[in-house]
Amino acid sequence: MTTITSATTGREWEYVIGLEVHCELATATKLFCACPNEFGAEPNTNVCPVCLGLPGSLPVLNRRAVELAMRLGRALHCTVEPSVFARKNYFYPDMPKDYQISQYDRPTNVDGWLELADGTRVGIERAHIEEDTGKSTHVGGGGRIHEAGYSLVDYNRAGVPLVEIVSRPDLRSPDQAKAYVSELRGVLLATGASDAKMEEGSLRVDANVSVRPVGETSFGTRCEIKNLNSLRSLGRAIEYEARRQIDLLESGERVVQETRHWDEEGGRTRSGRSKEEAEDYRYFQEPDLVPLVPDPAWIAAIDESMPLLPADRRARLAEVVGGPSAAATAIAIAVERGLDGLALQAIAAGGDPGRVLTHVEHDLAVDGAERLDPASLAALVQMEVDGQLTATQAKQVLAEMIETGSDPGAIALARGFEAMDTAELEVVVDELIAAHPGEWDEFVSGDDKRRGKLTGFFVGQVMKATKGKADGKVVTRLLEDRRAGSN
């Protein structure tokens, strides 16, 4: 558990975090009309009387949106229930009909969970279907409506299908909150429910944050931080808000339940408005839509078509590599980047599992990595294992493989990467020892920490002298041999 120590009293406090994640569904058209669901179109070009809520227009539910929502719900271990759409009434310029069609007391997906890469299980209260609002741009001032000179409204987003995934308050640190969103994004991509692009607004996060003294079991008053659109902002906003609430409580004040906005530049949350309760929205059943009752056969077909999810893919790769604890970080990164399939195929083609995962973790966070030929990656790894390429040379060859798709052997030959003879390397090492007598004396007589730093120094000097042709492991062995001979 991550705790927060008060700077003034030394008291230990605990985070209590629940997240509401809005994700736009990957449909061709909007939730209740045939307007395109398209990001980046000219403002107010994808609109019609239905998504603007003009008098006389009637919504028609998009079957594909319902299927994707159920697909996501089943991936989150939710029960799919008969549901009812409701009108959520409130006024805002980007909501032209003054109400949002959403689900209230009878949502489609209820009572599920999501397991994080570290094994933490986070409860899912509900994942309900609703329409998105339009988008307001407040020009001038600080970007808030009350500070703006004027506002622009784009209704292209009005009516885009959303699923709002509401977690239980099970998260206990900013890092855990970020891990939850990353895992959820992986599920959205795996199921094809959404493109989950935070930078385009198709994945947006509201964070409910409260604090309580360590050992306390009841919840404190929470504040909701709206529309966080990056993992970095999510972590910073939660950390700031928790410390703000602790300062209030320790000075004898109280936390007011409200929505707050994250000021990225200022690094602080700012008060938005008092938090509405459900009764403030005056929900009532949407009279133009019948209850949604999915056929059990439809749900069963969705279950049968479900792909392997991130947790399953991590387990599959871990089993091949050698157990759930082996290379856990590299495995998690491979799955997060969608490169676990490449790793598995490269290992099946004979690539050393450890070296394959090392390249996936450190060298393949680039565009085009997913197009790498698994057999070629396995061949590259084998060249390293056989001593034909140093680690530095292998990185260079790998970069060119991604760029050109060429064979690693051909690339190494064209670059003149030939295995450096050990006797030749010994001469280079001895010359550098002679050129740096002070560092060598420290290497021989210093403690392990100092010796470790000087190993890096000498290996770096050898790499520079050989233009990266030397094998770092061989150089390290030669240095240790020389040190043993000096004692």
Side-chain angles (χ1 to χ4, degrees), residues 205-227:
V205 183
D206 299 341
N208 286 292
V209 180
S210 65
V211 295
R212 62 185 178 188
V214 171
E216 178 64 61
T217 55
S218 59
F219 294 137
T221 302
R222 72 182 190 277
C223 290
E224 182 182 31
I225 312 169
K226 301 289 289 183
N227 291 326

Side-chain angles (χ1 to χ4, degrees), residues 177-196:
K178 291 192 289 186
Y180 170 86
V181 174
S182 291
E183 186 72 13
L184 182 57
R185 184 174 182 275
V187 172
L188 288 164
L189 293 173
T191 56
S194 174
D195 62 16

Side-chain angles (χ1 to χ4, degrees), residues 298-319:
W298 191 11
I299 301 171
I302 288 173
D303 287 345
E304 289 177 5
S305 67
M306 197 65 72
L308 277 180
L309 299 174
D312 304 318
R313 288 158 51 193
R314 285 193 297 270
R316 180 181 61 172
L317 186 52
E319 185 177 355

